[in-house]
Amino acid sequence: MSTKRLNVLVYSGDGSTIDSVRRAIYSLRRLLSPSYAVIPITGETIVKEPWTASCALLVLPGGADLGYCRTLNGEGNRRIRQYVQRGGVYMGFCAGGYYGSGRCEFEVGNKRLEVVGTRELAFFPGVCRGCAYPGFAYHSEDGARAVELKVNKEALAGHDVPDTFRSYYNGGGVFVDADKYQEQGVQILAEYTLPTVVESGSVRAAIVYREIGEGKILLTSTHPEFAAVNLDQEANGKKFRTIVTELIEDDNLRAQFLVACLKKLGLTVNDHENPVPSLSRLHVSSLQSSDVSGLLEALKDIVVDEDGEDYIKGENDTFRLHKPSTWSTSTLAHALESISKQDTDQGPLDSDRTLDYSEMVKHVVFHPDEYPSSKETVSFNHHAFYSNLKFYQGLFNVPGTFGKYIMYGEVVTSTSSMLEKYGHPQSKNKSSSSSIFTETCSRNPKLLRRLPTGFTATANVQIAGRGRGSNVWVSPAGSLMFSIAIRHPADVANRAPVVFVQYIASLAIVEGIKSYDIGYRNLPIKLKWPNDIYAEDPNKPGQKSYVKIAGILVNSSYFVNEFLLVVGVGLNTTNALPTTSLNALLPPHLQPFSLEKLLARILTVFEEFYGKFARNGFSKEFEQMYYEHWLHTDQIVTLETEGGARARVKGITKDYGLLRAEELSIHDDRPTGKIWELQSDSNSFDFWKGLVRRKV
């Protein structure tokens, strides 16, 4: 298996500010998605979890660097330095720039603000001294200004950059005597055009770059990641409105410079900032359209009427329900178009700013008379989906529960996140990777309790997809993203433990792909324990190098003698980025995968497998099937928590699906006769990093 560096991690721990984290994520996602997942990372994660192997860029945003010191000094900084030395990339904005220097000198002589001291990372060997310009106050725009920067076009040769541009500034420093460190690899990318109030040396260096070992670092004193559209013009009176106006005038130049910086760091970058798409309506339909009325009936006790309109309200989200049976098609289309514009458009300046999606009303359209039209759901053909679903159900004698109802949106947040804020389940079991609606339902028990088993939600694009831990990202078109609600009775759980649902789901995905049609059986798809889906990298033929193409997230809650499960799946199907896709694996004579047909096939396999599982548990049949597809037979693992002890993987346990492994001698890797049960330390990045022996 190969680990690609696909994560861009933005520090969000002690010392960072919410605005700085959000604005960094906003700009980086627009420039780097879908090639990378831009997600926040805590200080504890940096110190304890195996984040480095999959990290393409670590970002330390604006804030206060003393907080960074408290959290990361010692082990955290050791990991960061080692990460860079081994080919990683570090980017520090403002406070992250101070923190990445050899010494921080901030407001020396100002007893209220002074911060002075050496810094462990020392990526810039010298001093970062500030404030470069006066007036700074924490949590204020008093010291903010639009500073003009002169770009060193020679250092950014080959990139399209402006001669000068204005950048948001508030409390940043200057990299003292930066030109004297050229022999140590320091390059000045931009300098202030106006004199600073602190001594800077012969050059007023505002942004510096350096290669360290196999890695690269870039430190800034200003905020080129701050898009002017996200600044509040009313935050600090007329003066700040003027500053924002100046930044708006140069915003394209700012973005152009930021693109060049990211490319110099070796990242795959979009040439222009891609706007985050507006949320779309959600469409609820059924194989038999008339069954939608029954679903509405099941929801009626949580629906409230306000001024003649129906809503489902949660603590953080509001859904407005629309029932087309009371409208003509043309009237409905016109009305919903108006609603969409009213709720998502923020004017010409604000239409692309950072939005709080929980504040937006989500519109849900029920279709009790006919399937949604192709004009309403451009990227998903409901007729094709239901036609394939019915075909597979008949061919394989499947009852027809999974996929009987679907809720589809062209663009969603992660409906999981929308609904997760409503309620608080008594227990939750997160079981792995990417999902779209998973936490949505599991954190909204009052809704989930009313959904039938097999209710499926899917989307074309998700702009805040959920993954293991706190991972969040934009998922592009071409991914098959769906989640399924399952009501798992407590008495069934005695013979079919909930923990194995993730294994059943992963088997259903693999088998669904391989039985999609004639000729697909031999596609090189494998399972990584416990439930990630990997494919042989088509860019490395014959090397048995595998990359991840799908992940699963299972959430569970318990209510009145049953587990309420939501199984979420994200599967790269037609999208080549960020790793590879199913279509890239196909030989020329096979037809590309259709999202509608593939979803129908996976759902019918999942329903068949889940039925057998509920009756017989994780049987020998499933166990053999799992081993047939997994990557780990006789794989040797090293347990860092056990002093580097080694063991050979032999299978999984029958009770909790843990790894079974035989201990190996430290001298010659021969079996000692001891069998270990291994479990993950629950890190957010890789179950195979940080394996620990189960405590019995």
Side-chain angles (χ1 to χ4, degrees), residues 593-628:
F593 283 95
S594 152
L595 293 177
E596 294 89 346
K597 183 177 178 179
L598 182 58
L599 176 59
R601 183 61 190 126
I602 290 175
L603 289 176
T604 50
V605 176
F606 196 3
E607 181 172 3
E608 178 188 356
F609 284 6
Y610 175 74
K612 291 181 179 179
F613 170 68
R615 292 189 297 271
N616 306 315
F618 197 73
S619 64
K620 194 68 175 178
E621 176 189 2
F622 285 131
E623 187 178 7
Q624 291 175 347
M625 190 185 306
Y626 189 77
Y627 294 151
E628 177 187 342

Coordinates of all heavy atoms in Angstrom, one line a residue, residues 593-628:
F593 N -18.4 3.2 -15.2 CA -19.4 3.1 -14.2 C -20.4 4.2 -14.3 O -20.1 5.4 -14.5 CB -18.8 3.0 -12.8 CG -18.2 1.7 -12.4 CD1 -16.8 1.5 -12.6 CD2 -18.9 0.7 -11.9 CE1 -16.2 0.3 -12.3 CE2 -18.4 -0.5 -11.6 CZ -17.0 -0.7 -11.8
S594 N -21.7 3.9 -14.1 CA -22.7 4.9 -13.9 C -23.0 5.0 -12.4 O -23.2 4.0 -11.7 CB -24.0 4.5 -14.7 OG -25.2 5.0 -14.1
L595 N -23.1 6.2 -11.9 CA -23.4 6.4 -10.4 C -24.7 5.8 -10.0 O -24.8 5.1 -9.0 CB -23.3 7.9 -10.1 CG -22.0 8.6 -10.2 CD1 -22.1 10.0 -9.8 CD2 -20.9 7.9 -9.2
E596 N -25.7 6.0 -10.9 CA -27.1 5.5 -10.6 C -27.1 3.9 -10.5 O -27.6 3.3 -9.6 CB -28.1 6.0 -11.6 CG -28.3 7.5 -11.6 CD -27.4 8.2 -12.5 OE1 -26.4 7.6 -12.9 OE2 -27.6 9.4 -12.8
K597 N -26.5 3.3 -11.5 CA -26.5 1.8 -11.6 C -25.6 1.3 -10.5 O -26.0 0.2 -9.8 CB -25.9 1.4 -12.9 CG -26.0 -0.1 -13.2 CD -25.5 -0.5 -14.6 CE -25.5 -2.0 -14.8 NZ -25.1 -2.4 -16.2
L598 N -24.4 1.9 -10.2 CA -23.6 1.4 -9.1 C -24.2 1.5 -7.8 O -24.1 0.6 -7.0 CB -22.2 2.1 -9.2 CG -21.2 1.6 -8.1 CD1 -20.8 0.2 -8.3 CD2 -19.9 2.5 -8.2
L599 N -24.9 2.6 -7.5 CA -25.6 2.7 -6.2 C -26.7 1.7 -6.1 O -26.8 1.0 -5.0 CB -26.2 4.1 -6.2 CG -27.1 4.4 -4.9 CD1 -26.3 4.2 -3.6 CD2 -27.7 5.8 -5.0
A600 N -27.4 1.4 -7.2 CA -28.5 0.4 -7.1 C -27.9 -1.0 -6.8 O -28.4 -1.8 -6.0 CB -29.2 0.4 -8.5
R601 N -26.7 -1.3 -7.4 CA -26.1 -2.6 -7.2 C -25.6 -2.7 -5.8 O -25.8 -3.8 -5.1 CB -25.0 -2.9 -8.2 CG -24.4 -4.3 -8.1 CD -25.4 -5.3 -8.3 NE -25.0 -6.7 -8.0 CZ -25.6 -7.5 -7.1 NH1 -26.7 -7.1 -6.6 NH2 -25.2 -8.7 -6.9
I602 N -24.9 -1.7 -5.3 CA -24.3 -1.8 -3.9 C -25.5 -1.9 -2.9 O -25.4 -2.7 -2.0 CB -23.5 -0.6 -3.6 CG1 -22.2 -0.6 -4.5 CG2 -23.1 -0.5 -2.1 CD1 -21.3 0.6 -4.3
L603 N -26.6 -1.2 -3.1 CA -27.7 -1.3 -2.2 C -28.3 -2.7 -2.1 O -28.7 -3.2 -1.1 CB -28.7 -0.2 -2.5 CG -28.4 1.2 -2.3 CD1 -29.4 2.2 -2.7 CD2 -28.1 1.4 -0.8
T604 N -28.4 -3.3 -3.3 CA -29.0 -4.6 -3.3 C -28.1 -5.7 -2.7 O -28.6 -6.6 -2.0 CB -29.4 -5.0 -4.8 OG1 -28.3 -4.8 -5.6 CG2 -30.6 -4.2 -5.2
V605 N -26.8 -5.5 -2.9 CA -25.9 -6.4 -2.3 C -25.9 -6.2 -0.8 O -25.9 -7.2 0.0 CB -24.4 -6.2 -2.8 CG1 -23.5 -7.1 -2.1 CG2 -24.4 -6.6 -4.3
F606 N -25.9 -5.0 -0.4 CA -25.9 -4.7 1.1 C -27.1 -5.2 1.7 O -27.1 -5.8 2.8 CB -25.8 -3.1 1.3 CG -25.4 -2.7 2.7 CD1 -25.1 -3.6 3.7 CD2 -25.3 -1.4 3.0 CE1 -24.7 -3.2 4.9 CE2 -25.0 -0.9 4.2 CZ -24.7 -1.9 5.2
E607 N -28.3 -5.1 1.1 CA -29.5 -5.6 1.7 C -29.4 -7.1 1.8 O -29.8 -7.7 2.8 CB -30.7 -5.2 0.8 CG -32.0 -5.7 1.4 CD -33.2 -5.2 0.7 OE1 -33.1 -4.4 -0.3 OE2 -34.4 -5.5 1.1
E608 N -28.9 -7.8 0.8 CA -28.8 -9.3 0.8 C -27.8 -9.7 2.0 O -28.1 -10.6 2.8 CB -28.3 -9.8 -0.5 CG -28.0 -11.3 -0.5 CD -27.4 -11.8 -1.8 OE1 -27.1 -10.9 -2.7 OE2 -27.0 -13.0 -1.9
F609 N -26.7 -9.0 2.0 CA -25.7 -9.4 3.0 C -26.2 -9.0 4.4 O -26.0 -9.8 5.4 CB -24.4 -8.6 2.8 CG -23.6 -9.2 1.6 CD1 -24.0 -10.2 0.8 CD2 -22.3 -8.7 1.4 CE1 -23.3 -10.7 -0.2 CE2 -21.5 -9.2 0.3 CZ -22.0 -10.2 -0.5
Y610 N -26.8 -7.9 4.6 CA -27.3 -7.5 5.9 C -28.4 -8.5 6.4 O -28.4 -8.9 7.6 CB -27.9 -6.1 5.9 CG -28.5 -5.7 7.3 CD1 -27.7 -5.5 8.4 CD2 -29.9 -5.7 7.5 CE1 -28.2 -5.2 9.6 CE2 -30.4 -5.4 8.7 CZ -29.6 -5.2 9.8 OH -30.2 -4.9 11.0
G611 N -29.2 -8.9 5.5 CA -30.3 -9.9 5.9 C -29.6 -11.2 6.4 O -30.0 -11.8 7.4
K612 N -28.6 -11.7 5.7 CA -27.9 -12.9 6.2 C -27.2 -12.7 7.5 O -27.2 -13.5 8.4 CB -26.9 -13.3 5.1 CG -27.5 -13.9 3.8 CD -26.3 -14.3 2.9 CE -26.9 -14.9 1.6 NZ -25.8 -15.3 0.7
F613 N -26.6 -11.5 7.6 CA -25.9 -11.1 8.9 C -26.9 -11.1 10.0 O -26.6 -11.6 11.1 CB -25.2 -9.8 8.7 CG -24.6 -9.2 9.9 CD1 -23.5 -9.8 10.6 CD2 -25.1 -8.0 10.4 CE1 -23.0 -9.2 11.7 CE2 -24.6 -7.4 11.6 CZ -23.5 -8.0 12.2
A614 N -28.0 -10.5 9.8 CA -29.0 -10.4 10.9 C -29.5 -11.8 11.4 O -29.8 -12.0 12.6 CB -30.2 -9.5 10.5
R615 N -29.6 -12.7 10.4 CA -30.0 -14.1 10.8 C -28.9 -14.9 11.4 O -29.1 -15.7 12.4 CB -30.6 -14.8 9.5 CG -31.8 -14.2 9.0 CD -32.4 -15.0 7.9 NE -31.6 -15.2 6.7 CZ -31.6 -14.3 5.7 NH1 -32.4 -13.3 5.7 NH2 -30.7 -14.5 4.7
N616 N -27.7 -14.8 10.9 CA -26.6 -15.7 11.2 C -25.4 -15.1 11.8 O -24.4 -15.8 12.2 CB -26.2 -16.5 10.0 CG -27.4 -17.2 9.3 OD1 -28.2 -17.8 10.0 ND2 -27.4 -17.1 8.0
G617 N -25.3 -13.8 11.9 CA -24.2 -13.1 12.4 C -23.0 -13.1 11.4 O -23.3 -13.3 10.2
F618 N -21.8 -12.8 11.9 CA -20.7 -12.7 11.0 C -20.2 -14.1 10.8 O -19.3 -14.6 11.4 CB -19.6 -11.8 11.5 CG -18.6 -11.4 10.5 CD1 -18.9 -10.4 9.5 CD2 -17.3 -11.9 10.5 CE1 -18.0 -10.1 8.6 CE2 -16.3 -11.5 9.6 CZ -16.7 -10.6 8.6
S619 N -20.8 -14.8 9.9 CA -20.7 -16.3 9.7 C -19.3 -16.6 9.0 O -18.6 -15.7 8.6 CB -21.8 -16.8 8.8 OG -21.7 -16.2 7.5
K620 N -19.1 -17.9 8.9 CA -17.8 -18.4 8.2 C -17.8 -17.9 6.8 O -16.8 -17.5 6.2 CB -17.8 -19.9 8.3 CG -16.4 -20.5 7.9 CD -15.4 -20.2 9.0 CE -14.1 -20.8 8.7 NZ -13.0 -20.5 9.7
E621 N -19.0 -17.8 6.2 CA -19.1 -17.3 4.8 C -18.6 -15.9 4.7 O -17.8 -15.6 3.8 CB -20.5 -17.4 4.3 CG -20.8 -16.8 2.9 CD -22.2 -16.7 2.5 OE1 -23.1 -17.0 3.4 OE2 -22.5 -16.3 1.4
F622 N -19.0 -15.0 5.6 CA -18.5 -13.7 5.5 C -17.1 -13.6 5.9 O -16.3 -12.8 5.3 CB -19.4 -12.8 6.5 CG -20.7 -12.5 6.0 CD1 -21.8 -12.7 6.8 CD2 -20.9 -12.0 4.7 CE1 -23.1 -12.4 6.4 CE2 -22.2 -11.7 4.3 CZ -23.3 -11.9 5.1
E623 N -16.6 -14.3 6.9 CA -15.2 -14.3 7.3 C -14.3 -14.7 6.1 O -13.3 -14.0 5.8 CB -15.0 -15.2 8.4 CG -13.6 -15.1 9.1 CD -13.5 -16.1 10.3 OE1 -14.4 -16.9 10.5 OE2 -12.4 -16.0 10.9
Q624 N -14.7 -15.7 5.4 CA -13.8 -16.2 4.3 C -13.9 -15.1 3.2 O -12.8 -14.9 2.5 CB -14.4 -17.5 3.8 CG -14.1 -18.7 4.7 CD -14.7 -20.0 4.3 OE1 -15.5 -20.0 3.4 NE2 -14.3 -21.1 4.9
M625 N -15.0 -14.5 2.9 CA -15.1 -13.5 1.9 C -14.3 -12.3 2.3 O -13.6 -11.7 1.4 CB -16.6 -13.1 1.8 CG -16.9 -12.2 0.6 SD -18.6 -11.6 0.6 CE -19.5 -13.1 0.7
Y626 N -14.3 -11.9 3.5 CA -13.5 -10.8 4.0 C -12.0 -11.1 3.8 O -11.2 -10.2 3.2 CB -13.8 -10.5 5.5 CG -13.2 -9.3 6.0 CD1 -13.7 -8.0 5.7 CD2 -12.0 -9.3 6.8 CE1 -13.2 -6.8 6.2 CE2 -11.4 -8.1 7.3 CZ -12.0 -6.9 7.0 OH -11.5 -5.7 7.4
Y627 N -11.5 -12.3 4.1 CA -10.1 -12.6 4.0 C -9.7 -12.7 2.5 O -8.6 -12.4 2.1 CB -9.8 -13.9 4.6 CG -9.9 -13.9 6.1 CD1 -10.2 -15.0 6.9 CD2 -9.7 -12.7 6.9 CE1 -10.3 -15.0 8.3 CE2 -9.8 -12.7 8.2 CZ -10.1 -13.8 8.9 OH -10.2 -13.8 10.3
E628 N -10.7 -13.1 1.7 CA -10.4 -13.2 0.2 C -10.1 -11.8 -0.4 O -9.3 -11.7 -1.3 CB -11.7 -13.8 -0.5 CG -11.5 -13.8 -2.0 CD -12.8 -14.3 -2.7 OE1 -13.7 -14.8 -2.0 OE2 -13.0 -14.0 -3.9

